[in-house]
């Protein structure tokens, strides 16, 4: 790698740009690019960077789905952006490599769910997996449904379900529930921005209510279904749940695990979206190589920029995401940064 000698501060992105064609192993081994003068990065799994919009199948935990996808891409690092229960399906954004640095906005993003609730039956878990607690006659009119829909639109308060991953005293609530214990849970304030309730055909004389909810982070859809059933005077539990929107992403953009498994490797790699797709509301700012290098070292840059809270910073040679920042009084102030080797890894994955 004579074209580039690593330096401790990686001062100039221009050095990296000039050396990109030369950063290859010449010893016949597989592995990552050199990240320090005294050795190589960890050899084994790939330095995969990007976002995969997975259609999580029924029956898998979110972590199981993540690990299956991670193995398909041989990705060294990965995480998901919001847990879906095993009985839920739908949009599960997965972040690999450097995308994990920028996933916070997606974790906090609004979401939209579609669910089906069976009216007249309550269960221990609020879904079809639990034991039946009660059965009641269902005397519900379209006017009742419209009234309840209006009541649950806007800011609401929920008590988190015992069968959830929320922790109390360092222990997940579902662990207490499995031990037969019920513990006090603080109410949570969430917002239902849009709610649609429609009765749909159901088998065997049952009555089902389809729920579509556009809601804030932290909303429990199982609890919403239970509370709607209680407000209708008959109780309810969910028989189906699907996440259809997370932030800027929709289910139409998803891909299934089985489709990924049968794809050629090159086609599979093309399913990954670039890291910057996680920053759709950030204002883009481009820096020339000298300013880019100093920005990557954590040095503030000055320019004719208006005050901006969320900024995505790009280099121009090569065109690559450098990190995030904010602008105050004409200063571009670094927040989360990538290193030149990380940028190289991302550029290679997009090549």
């Amino acid at each position: 790698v004579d074209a580039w000698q690593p330096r401790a501060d990686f001062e100039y992105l221009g050095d990296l740009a000039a050396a990109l064609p030369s950063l290859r192993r010449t010893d016949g081994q597989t592995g990552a690019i050199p990240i320090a003068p005294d050795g190589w990065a960890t050899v084994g799994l790939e330095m995969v960077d990007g976002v995969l919009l997975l259609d999580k199948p029924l029956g898998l935990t979110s972590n199981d789905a993540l690990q299956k996808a991670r193995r398909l891409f041989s990705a060294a690092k990965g995480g998901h952006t919001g847990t879906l229960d095993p009985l839920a399906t739908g949009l599960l954004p997965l972040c690999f490599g450097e995308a994990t640095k920028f996933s916070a906005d997606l974790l906090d993003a609004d979401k939209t769910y579609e669910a089906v609730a069976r009216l007249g039956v309550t269960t221990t878990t609020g879904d079809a997996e639990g034991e039946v607690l009660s059965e009641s006659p269902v005397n519900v009119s379209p006017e009742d449904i419209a009234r309840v829909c209006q009541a649950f639109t806007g800011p609401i308060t929920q008590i988190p379900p015992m069968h959830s991953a929320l922790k109390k005293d360092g222990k997940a609530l579902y662990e207490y529930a499995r031990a037969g214990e019920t513990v006090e849970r603080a109410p949570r304030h969430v917002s239902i921005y849009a709610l649609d309730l429609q009765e749909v055909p159901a088998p065997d004389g049952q009555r089902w209510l389809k729920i579509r909810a556009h809601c804030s982070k932290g909303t429990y859809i199982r609890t919403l279904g239970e509370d709607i059933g209680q407000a209708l005077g008959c109780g309810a539990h969910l028989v189906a749940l699907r996440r259809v929107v997370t932030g800027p992403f929709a289910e139409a953009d998803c891909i299934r695990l089985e489709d990924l498994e049968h794809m050629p490797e090159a086609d599979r790699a093309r399913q990954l979206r670039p890291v910057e797709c996680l920053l759709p509301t950030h204002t883009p700012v481009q820096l020339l190589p000298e300013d880019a290098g100093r920005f990557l070292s954590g040095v503030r840059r000055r320019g004719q920029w208006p005050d901006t809270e969320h900024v995505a910073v790009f280099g121009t040679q090569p065109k690559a995401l450098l990190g995030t920042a904010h602008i105050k009084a004409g200063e571009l102030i670094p927040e989360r940064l990538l290193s030149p080797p990380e940028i190289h890894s991302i550029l290679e994955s997009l090549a």
Side-chain angles (χ1 to χ4, degrees):
V1 287
D2 295 335
W4 179 58
Q5 293 299 316
R7 289 179 293 179
D9 59 359
F10 299 110
E11 185 175 5
Y12 295 104
L13 183 62
D15 291 344
L16 177 67
L20 282 179
S22 304
L23 286 174
R24 302 289 188 275
R25 294 196 69 159
T26 57
D27 56 3
Q29 303 298 312
T30 59
I33 64 170
I35 60 171
D38 59 351
W40 294 89
T42 302
V43 177
L45 296 175
E46 298 286 339
M47 294 175 67
V48 175
D49 304 282
V51 179
L52 178 70
L53 303 181
L54 183 69
D55 188 343
K56 190 193 85 66
L58 188 70
L60 285 185
T61 68
S62 293
N63 188 60
D64 286 342
L66 167 65
Q67 299 310 324
K68 285 178 178 289
R70 193 172 66 84
R71 284 192 291 271
L72 286 172
F73 286 90
S74 300
K77 181 170 65 172
H80 61 74
T81 58
T83 302
L84 282 175
D85 292 339
L87 291 183
T89 65
L91 178 55
L92 182 66
L94 304 180
C95 295
F96 296 128
E98 295 313 301
T100 59
K101 287 186 176 181
F102 305 100
S103 61
D105 285 354
L106 205 55
L107 285 166
D108 294 336
D110 299 341
K111 298 170 177 67
T112 300
Y113 295 88
E114 290 185 350
V116 176
R118 179 182 176 185
L119 301 178
V121 179
T122 65
T123 69
T124 53
T125 58
D127 59 28
E129 192 174 42
E131 298 178 3
V132 172
L133 282 176
S134 67
E135 297 189 46
S136 304
V138 181
N139 299 305
V140 174
S141 68
E143 291 75 21
D144 294 328
I145 292 172
R147 171 182 53 81
V148 168
C149 184
Q150 184 175 5
F152 281 88
T153 302
I156 65 170
T157 300
Q158 292 187 320
I159 302 295
M162 282 301 302
H163 288 268
S164 69
L166 188 67
K167 290 190 176 181
K168 183 178 178 65
D169 300 328
K171 188 175 177 181
L173 289 179
Y174 65 76
E175 295 183 60
Y176 292 104
R178 288 172 181 172
E181 301 178 47
T182 299
V183 297
E184 187 176 352
R185 291 96 71 200
R188 301 182 72 166
H189 301 287
V190 298
S191 291
I192 308 296
Y193 303 115
L195 181 64
D196 183 62
L197 303 179
Q198 300 286 336
E199 190 164 3
V200 294
D204 303 326
Q206 300 176 21
R207 293 186 68 177
W208 285 2
L209 190 67
K210 183 178 179 181
I211 302 169
R212 182 180 173 94
H214 173 204
C215 55
S216 64
K217 169 194 174 184
T219 303
Y220 288 100
I221 303 300
R222 277 182 299 157
T223 300
L224 179 64
E226 289 181 303
D227 291 345
I228 286 172
Q230 183 177 8
L232 288 171
C234 58
H237 71 276
L238 295 191
V239 295
L241 175 61
R242 182 170 178 81
R243 184 191 288 159
V244 295
V245 178
T246 295
F249 305 125
E251 64 173 334
D253 304 317
C254 288
I255 187 163
R256 301 181 304 170
L257 273 173
E258 52 263 44
D259 293 333
L260 286 172
E261 291 168 350
H262 293 98
M263 276 185 182
E265 187 174 347
D267 291 344
R268 189 183 303 147
R270 282 192 283 271
Q271 302 303 313
L272 290 178
R273 293 166 179 253
V275 176
E276 53 264 34
C277 78
L278 296 172
L279 308 172
T281 62
H282 284 57
T283 300
V285 166
Q286 290 194 346
L287 297 178
L288 294 175
E290 184 171 340
D291 278 331
R294 287 183 164 82
F295 176 81
L296 284 174
S297 297
V299 179
R300 300 181 180 193
R301 311 313 300 145
R302 294 201 65 86
Q304 300 299 313
W305 302 299
D307 285 4
T308 309
E309 188 174 356
H310 301 294
V311 177
V313 184
F314 295 85
T316 57
Q317 299 175 15
K319 174 70 181 298
L321 177 69
L322 308 180
T324 57
H326 65 276
I327 299 170
K328 187 173 183 180
E331 281 195 320
L332 184 67
I333 303 170
E335 294 177 350
R336 292 186 177 272
L337 300 176
L338 300 175
S339 71
E342 291 166 343
I343 296 169
H344 170 72
S345 169
I346 292 170
L347 290 172
E348 277 211 323
S349 69
L350 296 175

